[in-house]
Amino acid sequence: MTQQHSAIAPAPNPAKAKRGDWWRDAVIYQVYPRSFADSNGDGMGDLEGVRSRLPYLRDLGVDAVWLSPFYASPQADAGYDVADYRAVDPMFGNLLDADALIRDAHGLGLRVIVDLVPNHSSDQHDWFKRALREGPGSPLRERYHFRPGKGEHGELPPNDWESIFGGPAWTQVPDGEWYLHLFAPEQPDFNWEHPAVGDEFRSVLRFWLDIGVDGFRIDVAHGLVKAEGLPDLGSHDQVKLLGNDVMPFFDQDGVHDIYRQWRLVLDEYAGERIFVAEAWTPTVERTANYVRPDELHQAFNFQYLSTDWDAKELRTVIDRTLEAMRPVGAPATWVLSNHDVTRHATRFANPPGLGTQIRTAGDRELGLRRARAATLLMLALPGSAYVYQGEELGLPDVVDLSDEVRQDPAYFRGAGQDGFRDGCRVPIPWTRTGSSYGFGNGGSWLPQPDGWGELSIEAQTGTAGSTLELYRAALAARRTQPDLGAGDSVEWLRAPEGVLAFRRGEFVCVANTSGESVTTSAYGRLLLASGEVTEADGEAKLPADTTVWWTTTP
């Protein structure tokens, strides 16, 4: 009659860990290292902190861990400005810590995916520093996009492109030339037409593969290749993509040649290593181009992430996703939150249509109820799912951070992205009490709100009805139900307005997005529900914003 929880999820299945196609139905947990666990009390999370918490992730029931960047970096954009792709930034540890983390994860049956940032480097990368020192005509400048300016004295940018973080996408250097940066000025874009850039990144891939990583998440995978001649925007049609313009520097067909070369490198290694694309594209059909058989393995489904909690809209994006992925033989992926967008517990607490970066708390109770229901829906769909650290606790965004503590560079540029990403990056709580609620034995680099401890892992572990126990139970059921996980289709069932219902073999999922209680068929034995469900005489009463799992097996 009500939701059922298990205290501890089973460890990752060893047989699945050895499967060549483990990634087709994997649940992959994103760790944002600076906000996960702090081992030395300096207020910043680190690799040793992540390593110490791996048993928690094993017990949660995920298959793999994706680590956001920990490379040597001046941290102008939280590590997405890389100065050395073969070194660990001292704030996170060193290469020995990375090696130990990977070994421990493998010992627990967990795979490790690391971030790779190939669109741009830091302005402190050796190549770029040498390019500045050597001046115009330097061979090193050819590895980036240096151009003379327009105007009588070259005082204007080479074209009218704007940075995603706001302002011009060009910065002028003292000798008069300009360089391109699609993001912050501290992040100059590589010129992927230059063969040295491709050679370098194939070498970087091998470096980390030799250490033992199981794959790479490719940052800005859609941005490496720019339109020939770097034309002004005025000569191109513009398409809106989640509030950002798709411009001549996004989703160019030339990126696919790069990934075919990378796939050859990856296939040299045993153990079925994988690539995951962060590819913001206008349509899911364009996303499918990145996961053709000789390219990447997965691509984030941002169309799904940006869909409102609405049955009709969800069914449309689910159908389009499955239809787009089927011809290329790639699994669909499903994601609700990450380090760049408002957590879905807050997104769903606000009116629809506000986008993926929201600055108000909204109705916290409503948001959590919808977030729990959305999670069960996501985990029931065929393919692979991504979980962002802390969403298993039902964490909301921290929306009331002051200007003095914010660190998102987009926030201070006054245009482009809203710059409210700090709210989803606040360090997660492990314990009810303590100076940083168990994050470490000191403070935290972003302040945690009062009451954070009541959402902690300690507070929710073993607590019936908690969001953490819901996740543990859902991931355990996903492992034991043969009809969950991999696949490429669902069988839609008749359902009331505002309700999604589908069958996968002997498994049935029903999600009520209508905002009011509904009565549906009871499809068998109740496996799990995100809220209280009442069954009688072959029918089930679902409260508003509730998802239920049934199985027709005894």
Side-chain angles (χ1 to χ4, degrees):
M1 155 163 146
T2 126
Q3 68 266 35
Q4 304 164 14
H5 299 292
S6 61
I8 298 292
N13 187 328
K16 180 178 178 180
K18 295 178 181 178
R19 269 181 23 209
D21 61 350
W22 64 272
W23 44 276
R24 289 190 170 274
D25 60 356
V27 176
I28 299 173
Y29 186 99
Q30 181 188 0
V31 167
Y32 194 68
R34 59 170 52 205
S35 299
F36 192 66
D38 171 18
S39 71
N40 58 11
D42 66 354
M44 185 69 66
D46 46 49
L47 295 184
E48 183 57 32
V50 177
R51 181 186 175 198
S52 71
R53 299 296 191 177
L54 288 174
Y56 163 76
L57 299 179
R58 184 269 317 274
D59 293 340
L60 181 61
V62 300
D63 301 295
V65 179
W66 153 34
L67 298 169
S68 291
F70 51 80
Y71 306 110
S73 167
Q75 304 295 319
D77 185 24
Y80 283 93
D81 50 317
V82 180
D84 187 343
Y85 290 86
R86 297 176 181 83
V88 173
D89 195 282
M91 74 163 53
F92 297 122
N94 54 46
L95 280 174
L96 291 177
D97 295 321
D99 180 75
L101 188 160
I102 293 166
R103 290 176 183 272
D104 281 8
H106 289 168
L108 293 169
L110 295 168
R111 297 181 185 254
V112 177
I113 296 168
V114 297
D115 239 307
L116 188 65
V117 188
N119 179 71
H120 49 262
S121 72
S122 165
D123 62 355
Q124 297 305 302
H125 190 286
D126 184 60
W127 283 4
F128 192 77
K129 291 194 296 182
R130 287 174 55 195
L132 291 182
R133 287 197 307 267
E134 295 174 8
S138 164
L140 271 297
R141 291 204 175 190
E142 296 175 6
R143 300 180 185 185
Y144 294 90
H145 294 279
F146 278 88
R147 296 288 189 277
K150 292 182 177 180
E152 183 179 357
H153 303 290
E155 71 277 11
L156 301 176
N159 67 23
D160 62 358
W161 294 5
E162 293 187 357
S163 163
I164 302 304
F165 286 170
W170 296 90
T171 290
Q172 191 174 30
V173 300
D175 58 44
E177 287 198 329
W178 299 72
Y179 69 88
L180 176 68
H181 53 86
L182 296 187
F183 295 89
E186 297 86 354
Q187 296 168 291
D189 278 45
F190 285 116
N191 174 16
W192 273 89
E193 299 298 322
H194 196 289
V197 177
D199 291 344
E200 169 67 0
F201 274 92
R202 287 190 295 274
S203 174
V204 169
L205 291 176
R206 288 191 170 93
F207 179 86
W208 288 102
L209 289 166
D210 288 342
I211 288 178
V213 302
D214 299 287
F216 301 89
R217 176 265 190 186
I218 305 168
D219 184 62
V220 195
H222 56 299
L224 277 57
V225 174
K226 281 62 174 175
E228 185 176 359
L230 308 184
D232 281 341
L233 284 172
S235 63
H236 282 72
D237 293 332
Q238 296 184 35
V239 182
K240 286 291 185 178
L241 171 63
L242 300 179
N244 293 324
D245 289 330
V246 177
M247 302 176 185
F249 49 71
F250 279 164
D251 196 28
Q252 298 292 307
D253 289 339
V255 298
H256 301 291
D257 291 332
I258 296 169
Y259 299 137
R260 291 186 188 99
Q261 295 175 27
W262 285 16
R263 182 62 177 267
L264 295 175
V265 173
L266 205 68
D267 288 348
E268 296 172 8
Y269 289 80
E272 196 70 14
R273 320 295 178 96
I274 69 166
F275 286 123
V276 183
E278 182 207 31
W280 292 86
T281 65
T283 65
V284 70
E285 290 79 11
R286 290 288 296 180
T287 301
N289 291 337
Y290 290 78
V291 290
R292 288 175 287 200
D294 60 345
E295 294 189 43
L296 311 179
H297 297 77
Q298 293 184 348
F300 289 131
N301 190 343
F302 292 117
Q303 284 79 17
Y304 185 78
L305 180 151
S306 59
T307 301
D308 292 326
W309 180 241
D310 176 88
K312 184 177 180 180
E313 293 183 25
L314 286 164
R315 177 165 175 173
T316 296
V317 74
I318 291 168
D319 282 341
R320 288 191 64 181
T321 297
L322 295 174
E323 289 168 5
M325 296 299 149
R326 201 174 294 124
V328 295
T333 65
W334 314 101
V335 60
L336 292 167
S337 289
N338 65 33
H339 66 292
D340 278 337
V341 301
T342 301
R343 289 182 178 276
H344 59 283
T346 296
R347 201 164 66 247
F348 291 149
N350 282 273
L354 296 182
T356 58
Q357 291 192 356
I358 296 171
R359 62 190 72 183
T360 61
D363 185 332
R364 163 74 177 139
E365 182 180 348
L366 173 65
L368 180 59
R369 189 167 68 245
R370 289 177 171 176
R372 288 162 57 95
T375 294
L376 287 196
L377 173 61
M378 175 184 76
L379 292 175
L381 293 169
S384 182
Y386 283 78
V387 173
Y388 177 51
Q389 66 176 46
E391 72 174 70
E392 77 275 18
L393 306 177
L395 294 185
D397 256 44
V398 180
V399 298
D400 56 354
L401 295 169
S402 65
D403 288 357
E404 290 74 24
V405 302
R406 289 189 180 276
Q407 299 194 30
D408 184 351
Y411 181 76
F412 299 99
R413 290 178 66 82
Q417 290 183 339
D418 288 337
F420 284 84
R421 299 179 298 175
D422 289 319
C424 66
R425 300 175 178 183
V426 173
I428 67 173
W430 292 87
T431 59
R432 283 190 172 93
T433 60
S435 59
S436 60
Y437 301 106
F439 167 65
N441 57 17
S444 62
W445 68 282
L446 281 173
Q448 299 159 301
D450 294 338
W452 212 230
E454 294 309 307
L455 300 175
S456 67
I457 289 141
E458 179 184 40
Q460 295 196 42
T461 294
T463 301
S466 72
T467 301
L468 175 58
E469 293 301 343
L470 177 68
Y471 270 74
R472 286 172 167 165
L475 293 175
R478 185 177 165 102
R479 291 182 179 279
T480 58
Q481 292 297 311
D483 294 311
L484 283 176
D488 63 5
S489 63
V490 299
E491 176 192 350
W492 293 107
L493 304 174
R494 293 185 57 139
E497 185 75 19
V499 176
L500 287 174
F502 61 84
R503 183 189 304 277
R504 300 185 61 201
E506 296 178 337
F507 171 85
V508 174
C509 175
V510 178
N512 177 15
T513 75
S514 69
E516 55 188 34
S517 295
V518 298
T519 299
T520 73
S521 298
Y523 288 95
R525 177 169 59 90
L526 181 69
L527 284 175
L528 194 61
S530 66
E532 297 292 334
V533 175
T534 304
E535 293 183 302
D537 300 324
E539 292 186 330
K541 184 176 182 180
L542 279 61
D545 306 309
T546 299
T547 298
V548 187
W549 289 1
W550 280 283
T551 179
T552 58
T553 59

